[in-house]
Amino acid sequence: MSSLVKKPLFFLACILMVFSCLSCFRQKKPTMTTRLVTDGPGINDRSFNAAAWEGMLAFYGDERGEEEGFGVYYDVVPCRETAQGVSVLRQVAMDEPDLIISTGFVLEKAIAYVAPMFPDQRFLCIDCNVENASNVLNFMFAAEEGSYLVGVAAALQAQEEGVQNPNFGFIGGVRGAIIEDFEVGYIEGIRSIFPDATVYESYIEDWEKPELAAKVAKKWYDDYEVYAIFSAAGASGNGTIAQAVARRKQGKNVWAIGVDRDQFEEGYYGVEKSAVLTSMIKRVDIAVTYGLTRANKGTFVTGTMVLGLKEGAVGYTTTNLDLASSVQKKLSGIMASIITEHIKVYSVRNNAREAYKILQSVVVQ
């Protein structure tokens, strides 16, 4: 196996190859075997793992509800507890599938431990950076770039709606550098518009406790007059969206911001109305499909790729018609400035010192 060097143009070319191949798969579906090992709530989180699942279905030419290859060529193995990671991955590896895909940074240590035990087994890890492994392909994302954009979107929307001195909130799942990058980018985006904005922070420390996120969101919306809350918390974030839905039904001007995939539908409260202003998208599906395609063609590579705006791997959604056109126009220019590095977005990954300065400025709840 060869070592992978991050090359945006190379990656974009590969993406085109992937979708070209997918048209072929519709005629002849692949028969390679894959196991998707998920953290936390599994593929029903309507967020991160759901996006990975969509990438797998796209590769196999199946659709939700019509998973012909499920249980035959591909399967899902949930790992509910981080402590079970090693045992779960070992058992899956012993079944010798053509490719094992793991999602979530909480499985990184387990992959690093298990991969050397099975040198001929190929692993694809999303949101991990397993180093010095000759059989692991890692995909990481510049989440701070997409999060910056949704932070700007929320702040500009507040301006557009005439909200004076808006407050904002961030709810995280399990604290770690990857989720902190979502938060850092979000704060930077907000404060590029409102330099003195108050941002509240809360970490649920669980990926599947929407009731806990809902409790926090309720307090922030009702007691602290928070205008928008961004949740990077897996299924827990659905509690935030539910609270935003309840308040918009009451006529209150508050918003939720989705994560990982377009969560517009999760925020429905009326005909074409959603409490999700925009979503920070992370193309986990593309990474999964890319890895599967390479494995299927016998061209699987190893190493680490960090994907961001340049690669079309992160961004924001414009599904909600309430997101002002003037806001979208400004965001297009800001996106271009990030890609050309005229706007520098800090993260724990690229500048931990500056990132933690930003994180220390929030109000912890």
Side-chain angles (χ1 to χ4, degrees), residues 33 35 90-100 118 121:
T33 55
R35 298 295 179 268
R90 284 185 63 183
Q91 185 59 53
V92 172
M94 289 173 66
D95 292 337
E96 300 182 344
D98 293 314
L99 181 66
I100 296 173
F118 300 89
Q121 174 65 59

Side-chain angles (χ1 to χ4, degrees), residues 11 15 55 101 124-126 137 139-141 283-293 307 313:
F11 182 75
I15 291 300
I101 302 173
L124 170 64
C125 301
I126 307 295
L137 170 59
F139 275 110
M140 299 183 71
F141 297 83
R283 296 303 302 272
V284 176
D285 57 332
I286 284 180
V288 167
T289 304
Y290 170 81
L292 283 164
T293 301
L307 310 175

Side-chain angles (χ1 to χ4, degrees), residues 305-321:
M305 292 186 74
V306 179
L307 310 175
L309 285 175
K310 287 182 181 179
E311 296 78 24
V314 300
Y316 69 101
T317 62
T318 58
T319 311
N320 196 329
L321 297 178

Side-chain angles (χ1 to χ4, degrees), residues 44 137 182 206 249 271 295 317 345:
N44 294 318
L137 170 59
F182 282 87
D206 201 297
K249 284 182 177 179
V271 179
T317 62
V345 185

Side-chain angles (χ1 to χ4, degrees), residues 30-43:
T31 57
M32 67 174 284
T33 55
T34 310
R35 298 295 179 268
L36 174 63
V37 181
T38 67
D39 64 354
I43 61 173

Side-chain angles (χ1 to χ4, degrees), residues 148-326:
Y148 185 98
L149 292 174
V150 297
V152 171
L156 288 176
Q157 185 76 12
Q159 275 190 342
E160 184 75 16
E161 295 175 352
V163 179
Q164 299 296 317
N165 301 316
N167 297 326
F168 300 88
F170 177 86
I171 296 178
V174 177
R175 184 184 285 276
I178 288 176
I179 302 302
E180 287 176 332
D181 282 350
F182 282 87
E183 183 180 2
V184 171
Y186 177 60
I187 296 169
E188 290 177 272
I190 290 168
R191 290 186 176 154
S192 70
I193 308 301
F194 293 107
D196 299 320
T198 296
V199 181
Y200 294 95
E201 169 203 281
S202 181
Y203 276 80
I204 303 303
E205 295 303 337
D206 201 297
W207 300 116
E208 45 187 327
K209 291 291 179 64
E211 67 277 12
L212 297 182
K215 183 178 180 180
V216 173
K218 181 179 186 300
K219 181 178 181 181
W220 288 355
Y221 285 137
D222 294 345
D223 298 345
Y224 299 156
E225 298 183 345
V226 168
Y227 172 75
I229 300 175
F230 179 30
S231 294
S236 294
N238 295 324
T240 302
I241 295 174
Q243 289 297 314
V245 167
R247 273 140 195 82
R248 289 200 71 84
K249 284 182 177 179
Q250 297 168 1
K252 295 182 179 179
N253 189 24
V254 301
W255 295 105
I257 297 174
V259 73
D260 291 333
R261 57 191 290 272
D262 191 348
Q263 293 192 299
F264 177 80
E265 292 185 1
E266 274 70 56
Y268 275 160
Y269 67 93
V271 179
E272 295 302 318
K273 288 293 185 180
S274 175
V276 176
L277 177 66
T278 183
S279 297
M280 181 280 185
I281 53 173
K282 187 167 71 170
R283 296 303 302 272
V284 176
D285 57 332
I286 284 180
V288 167
T289 304
Y290 170 81
L292 283 164
T293 301
R294 294 298 295 255
N296 192 51
K297 292 175 67 68
T299 57
F300 191 75
V301 291
T302 65
T304 299
M305 292 186 74
V306 179
L307 310 175
L309 285 175
K310 287 182 181 179
E311 296 78 24
V314 300
Y316 69 101
T317 62
T318 58
T319 311
N320 196 329
L321 297 178
D322 286 330
L323 183 63
S325 58
S326 60

